[in-house]
Amino acid sequence: ITIRTARPGLVIGRKGARIRDIGDQLTRLFGLENPQIDVEAIETPELNAQIMAEAIAFGIRKGQNYRRTAYNIMRRIIRSGARGVEVKISGKSTSQRARTQIFRAGIISKCGTPAIEGVDKGIAEVVMKSGTIGISMKIMPLDYQMPDEIKLKDPELQERLRQHKKTVSLEDEVSDGQVLIDKKSNLVVI
């Protein structure tokens, strides 16, 4: 069994006490004899939607304003290398009337294969005196290959396009209306 966590020290506990308790519970509940438990640290917890949703829930539970907490977490996520993030907070946050507040930054896919495969989703809830507040988090990492992005694998073609007078660097973003034409091979790159 592998436990992926942002803070492995808390899961292991002092001298391995918590990890032994987890092993004892697995033995008692599921009948596993001597369960092997590995604790793996997540390299960038800011790109894990479940961890960040729980971070917002923890901030709201402590009494922080939900807007401030959401914007701070979103800033951390974008800084750590996300293409886009969406936070949805639903419930009785400030008044007796329940409402849904949505915060967005960057670009996030809503439909199709990129939304299914490329977007990480997480859900957390906070039980307050006024009622339950639900937090839904979606994060789209920067390294996900979108279907409309093109990477040229032919190094010779890349070099010819770099030498072209009207060329835009292949690493730079090409805005609408810019067209690269390779006159030697008559290829058009949009």
Side-chain angles (χ1 to χ4, degrees), residues 7 14 16 25 31 38 40 62 64-65 67 71 79 88 103 111 133 141 177 182 187:
R7 295 179 169 182
R14 212 174 267 248
Q25 288 180 3
D38 295 330
E40 184 179 307
K62 278 194 329 186
Q64 290 180 350
N65 186 321
R67 280 190 200 95
Y71 279 123
R79 252 190 258 127
K88 191 185 293 186
F103 306 96
C111 62
I133 297 173
D182 187 18
L187 282 174

Side-chain angles (χ1 to χ4, degrees), residues 1 19 22-27 32-38:
I1 297 171
I19 202 82
I22 292 171
D24 293 342
Q25 288 180 3
L26 287 172
T27 302
L32 297 173
E33 291 181 25
N34 193 16
Q36 297 297 314
I37 301 171
D38 295 330

Side-chain angles (χ1 to χ4, degrees), residues 4-178:
R4 298 183 73 227
T5 180
R7 295 179 169 182
L10 290 176
V11 174
I12 295 170
R14 212 174 267 248
K15 297 182 182 178
R18 290 206 45 195
I19 202 82
R20 280 194 296 276
D21 290 343
I22 292 171
D24 293 342
Q25 288 180 3
L26 287 172
T27 302
R28 187 170 28 86
L29 294 174
F30 300 106
L32 297 173
E33 291 181 25
N34 193 16
Q36 297 297 314
I37 301 171
D38 295 330
V39 179
E40 184 179 307
I42 296 174
E43 294 171 12
T44 53
E46 286 84 11
L47 296 179
N48 188 313
Q50 185 63 42
I51 291 174
M52 290 294 105
E54 289 172 5
I56 291 176
F58 182 72
I60 292 172
R61 196 176 298 122
K62 278 194 329 186
Q64 290 180 350
N65 186 321
Y66 71 97
R67 280 190 200 95
R68 183 177 185 170
T69 306
Y71 279 123
N72 284 338
I73 297 291
M74 283 172 44
R75 222 175 291 122
R76 273 177 53 193
I77 292 168
I78 293 294
R79 252 190 258 127
S80 67
R83 182 177 298 218
V85 61
E86 178 182 278
V87 179
K88 191 185 293 186
I89 299 177
S90 303
K92 295 181 186 177
S93 48
T94 56
S95 64
Q96 290 296 322
R97 182 100 177 167
R99 65 171 182 256
T100 300
Q101 194 86 35
I102 300 174
F103 306 96
R104 292 185 186 103
I107 299 168
I108 195 156
S109 291
K110 296 285 194 176
C111 62
T113 307
I116 296 168
E117 295 175 357
V119 178
D120 188 24
K121 298 173 182 80
I123 296 172
E125 53 276 329
V126 182
V127 178
M128 306 285 278
K129 280 189 237 174
S130 59
T132 303
I133 297 173
I135 297 133
S136 172
M137 170 80 71
K138 293 180 183 179
I139 299 174
M140 186 164 203
L142 195 58
D143 59 354
Y144 180 74
Q145 178 72 35
M146 295 290 284
D148 60 344
E149 290 176 349
I150 300 169
K151 287 187 179 178
L152 297 175
K153 292 185 178 179
D154 184 14
E156 183 182 318
L157 180 62
Q158 285 181 346
E159 189 57 39
R160 279 194 277 160
L161 284 174
R162 281 194 189 110
Q163 292 172 357
H164 195 273
K165 289 180 183 176
K166 295 181 181 178
T167 191
V168 174
S169 174
L170 293 175
E171 287 79 27
D172 293 345
E173 291 184 25
V174 179
S175 62
D176 287 341
Q178 285 184 322

